Amino acid sequence: MQEQIRFVLSRPRMEKGPRKVLIIGASTGYGLATRIAAAFGARAETVGVFFERPADEDRTASAGWYNSAFFEEEAEKAGLRAWSLNGDAFSDPVKADTLALLRKTTGPVDLVIYSLAAPRRGMHTSVLRPIGHEYTNKTVNFQTGQVYETTVPPASEDEIAGTVAVMGGEDWQLWIEALLRAELLAPGAMTVAYSYIGSSVTAAIYREGTIGKAKEHLEATARSLDAKLLSLGGRAYVAVNKAVVTLASAAIPFVPLYIGILYQVMKDKGTHEGCIEQMDRLLRERLYRDGGSPVDDAGRIRLDEKELDPAIQKEVEARWKRVTTENLPQLVDLDGYRKELSRICGFDFPQVNYAADIDPNIAIPSLR
Ligand code: NAI
């Protein structure tokens, strides 16, 4: 968190940027980075919605809980207004509570970020599977460094429909319609949801798989929401982000090995980015740039151009073919991947004394 805040503060202050932002999925990964970029980069007021677990007697809280507590503390020190809401964003009560919170605090918002990554929504479950055929490819156990083949069975029709219901655009649409009805979208308000395309190496499991169907639905929803926001002078976009290590991406078959190779190749070329670099670019060079954001033929904002650079992809594909347990350390950013996965949960920081006794019960100030 400190590193991300420091990165944003090292950039010139955004002259144009969001003023009041609602972030749905604000506690980790891309949503958290967007919150940091909007608050510390543009001095925006932020309301963050997330689903995290506070500490109880014998368990620490989840990482996103501590992130959100720390975000609010740092925001307050910097004179930035911030509120949080912890609960299931897919549910009606949490939507209603968020509207009430906005009425009491920021009033109408001018940017709504939709950054949920979830395994289920109500009775629907999301699965990460190929469609139409089973799929076999290499994978890695990052704990042991072993590369081996694994096979993922194809999804059933119900599983495809379930994944679209969880990770597609339906819930995003419900949020935007509820905000519109409540007159909590300011004139010119924008909304952005995050998508992924990726490489030929991950196509069968990602873009052509169940999650790809959900992303297609999300992208179609952006087009219909865009039409709905026209009367407000607003816009709805999907932003296609780069593959990064997050709690969500770690759970996708084959993707961690792809990310490990990609990180090494992009670091070697000096084009590697994490969540915060991209979310800073999203605000500065896309959403709030004069003349509006550039988009691709399908109307999507693209932040994945460095990942999909043909020279990068060519090298990733070549390494993917060659990688084995033996040459893993040469071809894959094994340490980088492991370290990042630890660090998103607060581990692997040399300045932290992990043996020190601490009280894990930390409150999120606005939830007290
Ligand atoms: P993440 O796991 O780091 O963050 C997910 C967020 O959603 C957290 O704040 C979590 O608390 C919240 N959340 C989950 N279920 C919730 C619920 N029921 N109610 C309220 N909040 C809930 O995930 P990440 O990777 O940042 O993903 C965010 C979006 O970015 C997703 O749409 C993902 O597909 C997209 N994306 C991710 C990429 C990656 O490589 N990680 C690449 C491109 C897009």
Side-chain angles (χ1 to χ4, degrees), residues 25-31 50-52 87-90 115-118 167 194-196 206 215 241-244 246-249:
S27 52
T28 54
Y30 275 118
F50 44 78
F51 203 12
E52 301 293 348
D88 182 0
F90 293 127
S115 186
L116 295 184
M167 289 299 287
Y194 297 142
S195 188
Y196 182 64
Y206 201 97
K215 292 303 186 191
N241 302 342
K242 164 188 181 283
V244 289
T246 64
L247 298 171
S249 71

Side-chain angles (χ1 to χ4, degrees), residues 48 124 358:
H124 304 291
I358 45 117

Side-chain angles (χ1 to χ4, degrees), residues 18-41:
R19 310 246 58 87
K20 295 174 179 204
V21 190
L22 169 64
I23 303 115
I24 305 158
S27 52
T28 54
Y30 275 118
L32 174 64
T34 321
R35 189 177 199 186
I36 293 173
F40 291 90

Side-chain angles (χ1 to χ4, degrees), residues 232-254:
L232 263 181
R235 297 296 314 258
Y237 292 107
V238 149
V240 182
N241 302 342
K242 164 188 181 283
V244 289
V245 182
T246 64
L247 298 171
S249 71
I252 310 176
F254 313 108

